[in-house]
Amino acid sequence: MSIWMSPCSAEWVDRFLNARREIMARLGVPAATLEHVESTSVPGMWAKPIVDVCLGVDDSITQEELRKRVRQLGYWEANVKFSPPRTLFIRTRDGKQVNLHVVPLNGEIWQRMILFRDWLRTHPDSAEKYSSLKRELVSSNAEDYQAYRAGKAPFINGLEAHAIEASRGANKSETPNIGMSLDAEYQDWWSPPSFPADEDGGAPNYIDEGGGHWEFVSPDGSWEYVPDPPNDGVEVEAGGDGPPTIRGIQR
C-alpha cells in the first residue's frame, strides 16, 4: 500500500472536533473521554492525513450497545488485533478518514497514547525529530507500510517509555489543557501551519526535499513523496486544480 504524508493542517482539528461532537451526542459521553491523539494532534507535525480519536469507556455502556451506536455514525469495526487489546473503528467521509480507538478510560493504552502525544506537543525538538524520521521513511519505503511501521517503532517505543517515566514526577499544570471543553479554546491553542508563499502569495502545493519532492494531492488534502527522475535541471510546476502552485527545480 502507498503511504501518504501531509504537512500539518488546521483541518485535522476541525475533523476531530466534528467527530467528537457526533460521538458525544450519539453515546452521551463527556468531552473529557474523547482525545485527539497520534500525529495529527501535534501542531507542526507531518502525518498521514488520518485523524485518530481515542474514546475512553467504562462499564456504563455495554460493548454491544457501543458498537451499535458507533456504527450508526458510519464507522465500521476493523478486524485488527492489538496488544494490549483495544477496538478500532474506521470511517471515511468525503475521502477523509477518522480512526476511533475505543479503550478503557484511564487504562494503560489511554495513558500511553496521551502521554506520547503530550510529550510531542510540549517538546518541539522531539516532534521535529519524529516528523523528519517519518518523512525519511516514506521517501525510502513509500510502497512498504510494514517497513515504514518497523522503522518508526524504536523511536516511538523509546520516547513513549521516556514520557511515561517523566510523567511520574511531572507537574500536570505545565502541559496543555488537552481535555478542553470549549472548541474555541482548542482551535485558538492550535498553531496553524506556516509555509512559504508561492509567486501569487498563496499556499504552496509543492515542497522540495532531498532526492525528491512532496506534491499536494487533491481532493483528499494529502501529500505524496515523489522521487526525482534523472532528468536534472528540468523545471516543473505542480499544478492543476486546487491551491496555487509554486515551481521547483528537480535535482
Side-chain angles (χ1 to χ4, degrees), residues 196-199 204-210 212-215 223 226 228-229 231-239 244-251:
D198 70 358
E199 295 174 350
N205 65 353
Y206 179 95
I207 299 177
D208 191 34
E209 180 175 68
H213 61 273
W214 295 87
E215 281 186 15
W223 291 61
V226 181
D228 286 339
N231 55 335
D232 294 345
V234 178
E235 188 177 75
V236 298
E237 181 176 1
T245 64
I246 61 173
R247 291 180 177 84
I249 304 297
Q250 293 179 340
R251 297 179 180 178

Side-chain angles (χ1 to χ4, degrees), residues 101-156:
H101 306 261
V102 180
V103 305
L105 182 62
N106 295 321
E108 178 188 354
I109 305 173
W110 171 273
Q111 295 291 338
R112 283 169 47 187
M113 296 182 84
I114 293 176
L115 285 172
F116 181 75
R117 177 207 61 193
D118 287 358
W119 184 273
L120 291 174
R121 282 179 168 180
T122 55
H123 295 80
D125 55 336
S126 296
E128 177 55 33
K129 288 178 181 177
Y130 186 38
S131 191
S132 297
L133 171 63
K134 292 194 297 179
R135 296 201 306 273
E136 292 171 5
L137 290 170
V138 169
S139 66
S140 58
N141 301 283
E143 302 296 329
D144 190 341
Y145 185 65
Q146 294 305 317
Y148 170 76
R149 285 180 56 87
K152 293 193 305 177
F155 183 94
I156 294 173

Side-chain angles (χ1 to χ4, degrees), residues 9-242:
S9 169
E11 186 275 327
W12 296 342
V13 176
D14 294 335
R15 204 187 314 173
F16 162 71
L17 293 173
N18 289 334
R20 188 183 70 176
R21 281 192 288 269
E22 292 178 343
I23 296 167
M24 288 171 61
R26 179 65 65 177
L27 272 66
V29 296
T33 63
L34 287 154
E35 296 279 5
H36 189 183
V37 295
E38 303 291 352
S39 294
T40 60
S41 69
V42 181
M45 177 73 70
W46 280 65
K48 299 187 299 297
I50 298 171
V51 168
D52 288 89
V53 181
C54 186
L55 168 63
V57 296
D58 53 26
D59 56 7
S60 62
I61 184 171
T62 66
Q63 287 294 312
E64 181 180 353
E65 183 64 20
L66 184 145
R67 285 185 169 89
K68 175 183 175 182
R69 296 188 190 183
V70 169
R71 287 169 181 158
Q72 290 171 345
L73 292 172
Y75 291 85
W76 55 273
E77 186 173 350
N79 184 23
V80 181
K81 295 186 182 296
F82 295 96
S83 180
R86 67 177 182 267
T87 306
L88 174 64
F89 295 91
I90 299 174
R91 182 181 72 185
T92 301
R93 178 184 290 172
D94 298 327
K96 297 177 180 180
Q97 183 173 327
V98 174
N99 290 349
L100 177 62
H101 306 261
V102 180
V103 305
L105 182 62
N106 295 321
E108 178 188 354
I109 305 173
W110 171 273
Q111 295 291 338
R112 283 169 47 187
M113 296 182 84
I114 293 176
L115 285 172
F116 181 75
R117 177 207 61 193
D118 287 358
W119 184 273
L120 291 174
R121 282 179 168 180
T122 55
H123 295 80
D125 55 336
S126 296
E128 177 55 33
K129 288 178 181 177
Y130 186 38
S131 191
S132 297
L133 171 63
K134 292 194 297 179
R135 296 201 306 273
E136 292 171 5
L137 290 170
V138 169
S139 66
S140 58
N141 301 283
E143 302 296 329
D144 190 341
Y145 185 65
Q146 294 305 317
Y148 170 76
R149 285 180 56 87
K152 293 193 305 177
F155 183 94
I156 294 173
N157 294 339
L159 190 60
E160 186 178 79
H162 186 74
I164 292 172
E165 181 65 26
S167 73
R168 292 172 180 169
N171 180 352
K172 298 300 182 182
S173 65
E174 295 177 356
T175 62
N177 178 16
I178 305 309
M180 295 177 180
S181 59
L182 298 178
D183 292 352
E185 291 183 8
Y186 188 46
Q187 291 171 316
D188 290 343
W189 171 76
W190 182 279
S191 298
S194 175
F195 302 109
D198 70 358
E199 295 174 350
D200 299 320
N205 65 353
Y206 179 95
I207 299 177
D208 191 34
E209 180 175 68
H213 61 273
W214 295 87
E215 281 186 15
F216 186 84
V217 181
S218 297
D220 65 351
S222 63
W223 291 61
E224 177 184 11
Y225 183 80
V226 181
D228 286 339
N231 55 335
D232 294 345
V234 178
E235 188 177 75
V236 298
E237 181 176 1
D241 297 332

